[in-house]
């Protein structure tokens, strides 16, 4: 069983030239993250090579490779400073991918993303400095975390994981990115936050197990409920990530980050990453250029495989990973059978909602449909056999194909199909309703506009001023607006400047 598997001695390689001296750690957890992430970035890069338009292609490739390198570096980071370095590079380098097409929607998504990233990195920097000081520069500290330290880690890494209230950047960013970038980013980077919690020992102390479990259950339910109100496939997939990471947080919190639960969580995140990447690439693969042409049913069948895997259908990687999670947390005296069954039902409903939205949009023309077919097929093959080939699952794989296991995994999916059928027959239709945050933002905007209107009515001096004075004021206001627009354009270079700054620090370190 995966719960009783013992991790091998983790070899650590010192990198004295990296800042104050870094370390690379290669253990089973890092191996699961690294191998799955490498597969995702290869297929996503293949799709980008085939589908990205020539305009802006070099800029896209530069930051795409920086994000991939930073994410892979974070998975094998063996100390707090090295992890922080790659995590910061990952956050900054992703900004140009969000704003790649320069549309107003992408710029708004990039602003929200940048705000969340800067806030998370500030919290993580404070936590990493304290931990690094306690560990004398080696490792992640290894001591008992205090309440404040754990909360800093929760905030700093929860943004990347997509915890409720910290997820607001995710749906808009996924929808704004080019499809290939979204496939790599949504698949590979969402688990970096959980990996950071594991490395820093956040599940073992600082925050009580029941608090972690409550947060995870809330994330699982919120992701499904909110995803059912969205019609854009990219946003539905974003909320699906929120829900799936909630499952991981629930298990690791209940098991207090135990070794067996950590290994099972790493495999679950690898399965989720591969499936999510395949679904993103499949958005264009199932589209047809001619609405009157028959829809390629084999593509829909292939697209259903990663969707069923996320739901935990029998004989899929999701069933294997979820079974390993249940076994691992049971060995720590926590029974989550009901939670796993309900989450499977809810995920099935959400995946059927996703497939329905894709079916409605399948006839929309897409220039990337033909180009993304090869990378998408490769990603589906990786979903079909990726997690099953992991050596740590050798014992559990035999149990996963037994009749009792297949039956126990099949009925939640069947219940989910029945719930979905009842919802559709009742006339329910998904509607993209604004969130509470959106409504408050609109209310504040209305209040601000009303204030400006009333303010303008109370300017008798300016209104009755001579014509040449009003003309000068108007020219000054126009000049100020042009300066603001220039500053807005320069904001797109923040990520590049931050990346260059990190590279300069490394070069200075090598020169000293």
């Amino acid at each position: 069983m995966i719960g009783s598997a013992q991790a091998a001695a983790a070899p650590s390689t010192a990198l004295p030239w990296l800042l104050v001296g870094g370390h690379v750690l290669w253990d089973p957890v890092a191996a699961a993250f690294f191998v799955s992430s490498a597969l995702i970035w290869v297929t996503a890069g293949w799709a980008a090579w085939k589908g990205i338009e020539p305009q802006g292609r070099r800029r896209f490739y530069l930051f795409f490779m920086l994000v991939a390198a930073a994410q892979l570096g974070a998975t094998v980071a063996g100390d707090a400073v090295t992890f922080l370095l790659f995590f910061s590079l990952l956050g900054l380098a992703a900004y140009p991918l969000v704003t790649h097409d320069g549309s107003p929607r992408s710029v708004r998504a990039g602003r929200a993303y940048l705000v969340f990233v800067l806030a998370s990195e500030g919290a993580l920097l404070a936590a990493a400095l304290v931990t690094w000081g306690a560990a004398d520069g080696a490792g992640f500290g290894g001591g008992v975390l205090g309440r404040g330290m754990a909360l800093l880690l929760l905030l700093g890494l929860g943004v990347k994981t997509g915890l409720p209230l910290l997820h607001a950047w995710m749906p808009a960013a996924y929808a704004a990115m080019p499809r290939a970038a979204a496939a790599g980013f949504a698949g590979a980077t969402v688990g970096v936050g959980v990996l950071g919690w594991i490395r820093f020992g956040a599940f073992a102390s600082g925050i009580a197990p029941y608090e972690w479990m409550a947060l995870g259950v809330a994330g699982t339910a919120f992701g499904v409920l909110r995803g059912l109100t969205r019609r854009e496939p990219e946003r539905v997939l974003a909320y699906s990530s929120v829900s799936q990471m909630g499952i991981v947080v629930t298990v690791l919190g209940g098991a207090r980050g135990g070794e067996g639960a950590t290994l099972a969580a790493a495999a679950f995140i690898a399965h989720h990453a591969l499936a999510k990447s395949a679904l993103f690439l499949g958005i264009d693969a199932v589209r047809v250029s001619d609405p009157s042409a028959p829809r390629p049913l084999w593509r829909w069948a292939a697209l259903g495989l990663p969707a069923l895997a996320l739901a935990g259908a029998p004989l899929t990687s999701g069933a294997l990973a979820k079974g390993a999670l249940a076994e691992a947390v049971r060995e720590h005296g926590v029974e989550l059978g009901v939670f796993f069954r309900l989450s499977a039902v809810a995920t099935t409903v959400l995946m059927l909602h996703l497939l329905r939205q894709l079916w409605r949009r399948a006839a929309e023309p897409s220039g990337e449909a033909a180009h993304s077919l090869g990378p998408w097929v490769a990603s589906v093959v990786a979903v079909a056999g990726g997690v099953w080939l992991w050596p740590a699952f050798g014992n559990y794989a035999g149990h996963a194909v037994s009749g009792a296991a297949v039956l126990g995994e099949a009925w939640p999916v069947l219940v989910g199909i029945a719930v979905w059928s009842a919802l559709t027959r009742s006339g329910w239709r998904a509607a993209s309703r604004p969130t509470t945050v959106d409504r408050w933002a609109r209310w504040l905007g209305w209040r601000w506009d009303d204030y400006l209107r009333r303010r303008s009515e109370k300017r008798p001096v300016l209104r009755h001023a001579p014509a040449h004075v009003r003309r000068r004021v108007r020219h000054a206001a126009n000049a100020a607006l042009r300066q603001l627009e220039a500053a807005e354009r320069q904001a797109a270079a923040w990520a590049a400047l931050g990346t260059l700054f990190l590279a300069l620090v490394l070069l200075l370190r090598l020169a000293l």
Side-chain angles (χ1 to χ4, degrees), residues 60-70:
F60 174 86
Y61 287 161
L62 170 63
F63 289 101
F64 180 88
M65 291 187 292
L66 283 175
V67 170

Side-chain angles (χ1 to χ4, degrees), residues 10-27 30 70 72-88 124-125 127-142 149 153 157 192 195-201 506 509:
S12 178
T13 303
L15 302 176
W17 52 268
L18 183 62
L19 292 179
V20 292
H23 295 79
V24 172
L25 180 64
W26 186 261
D27 59 358
L72 293 173
T75 62
V76 297
D79 61 274
V81 177
T82 304
F83 182 87
L84 174 64
L85 170 66
F86 286 115
F87 189 86
S88 299
L124 186 60
L125 175 61
L129 289 177
V130 175
T131 304
W132 174 68
D136 196 22
F140 287 87
M149 182 72 171
L153 291 173
L157 299 171
V192 173
L195 177 63
W197 284 330
I198 294 172
R199 297 305 193 198
F200 283 101
L506 292 177
R509 174 61 182 167

Side-chain angles (χ1 to χ4, degrees), residues 397-418:
H399 171 70
V401 299
S402 65
V406 170
L407 181 62
E409 295 155 358
W411 72 261
V413 177
L414 295 177
V415 171
I417 295 175

Side-chain angles (χ1 to χ4, degrees), residues 246-500:
I247 297 175
V248 178
V249 170
T250 303
V251 171
L252 288 175
R256 298 192 65 82
E259 181 178 308
T262 299
L263 290 174
F268 181 87
I269 293 174
H271 131 77
H272 167 266
L274 293 171
K276 192 56 61 69
S277 176
L279 287 172
F280 263 103
L281 294 178
I283 292 177
D284 289 312
V286 295
R287 291 184 178 180
V288 292
S289 56
D290 185 6
S292 61
R295 304 189 183 191
L297 295 182
W298 72 268
R299 298 187 188 181
W300 287 96
L303 186 67
L305 176 61
L308 289 173
L310 286 180
L315 305 180
T316 63
S317 60
L320 180 63
K322 284 188 175 181
L325 282 178
E327 178 68 18
V329 75
R330 190 179 297 117
E331 293 185 358
H332 289 81
V334 180
E335 181 59 51
L336 294 176
V338 176
F339 169 73
F340 282 115
R341 299 294 190 276
L342 292 178
S343 67
V345 172
T347 305
T348 301
V349 175
L350 185 60
M351 289 298 101
L352 290 174
H353 171 66
L354 170 68
L355 294 177
R356 184 183 187 184
Q357 302 308 316
L358 287 175
W359 182 268
R360 289 177 172 177
R361 294 179 53 179
E364 296 180 4
S366 174
E368 298 183 17
H371 299 303
S372 300
L373 187 59
W376 172 63
V377 171
S379 65
V380 172
V381 172
V383 173
V387 178
W388 289 90
L389 300 178
W390 198 34
F393 275 159
N395 295 330
Y396 194 83
H399 171 70
V401 299
S402 65
V406 170
L407 181 62
E409 295 155 358
W411 72 261
V413 177
L414 295 177
V415 171
I417 295 175
V419 172
W420 171 249
S421 177
L423 284 175
T424 54
R425 289 185 178 182
S426 66
W428 172 82
R429 295 291 185 271
S432 299
R433 303 180 181 91
T435 64
T436 303
V437 176
D438 295 333
R439 288 193 291 267
W440 274 101
R442 292 178 184 179
W443 182 81
L444 290 175
W446 292 333
R447 296 294 298 175
W448 176 250
D449 292 339
D450 182 64
Y451 168 78
L452 292 179
R453 179 182 57 79
R454 290 185 285 105
R455 180 79 174 177
S456 63
E457 294 175 354
K458 297 179 181 180
R459 295 178 180 174
V461 177
L462 183 60
R463 189 164 58 244
H464 299 291
H468 69 279
V469 173
R470 294 199 304 270
R471 187 164 49 251
R472 291 180 181 178
V473 172
R474 185 168 57 252
H475 290 167
N478 292 335
L481 288 176
R482 287 193 295 270
Q483 293 295 327
L484 289 176
E485 292 174 357
E488 180 70 27
R489 290 191 297 269
Q490 292 176 359
W494 287 2
L497 292 176
T499 303
L500 293 176

Side-chain angles (χ1 to χ4, degrees), residues 45-60:
W46 184 5
W49 177 59
K50 290 288 186 178
I52 297 298
E53 297 295 332
Q55 184 178 4
R57 180 177 292 176
R58 292 184 178 180
R59 176 174 176 267
F60 174 86

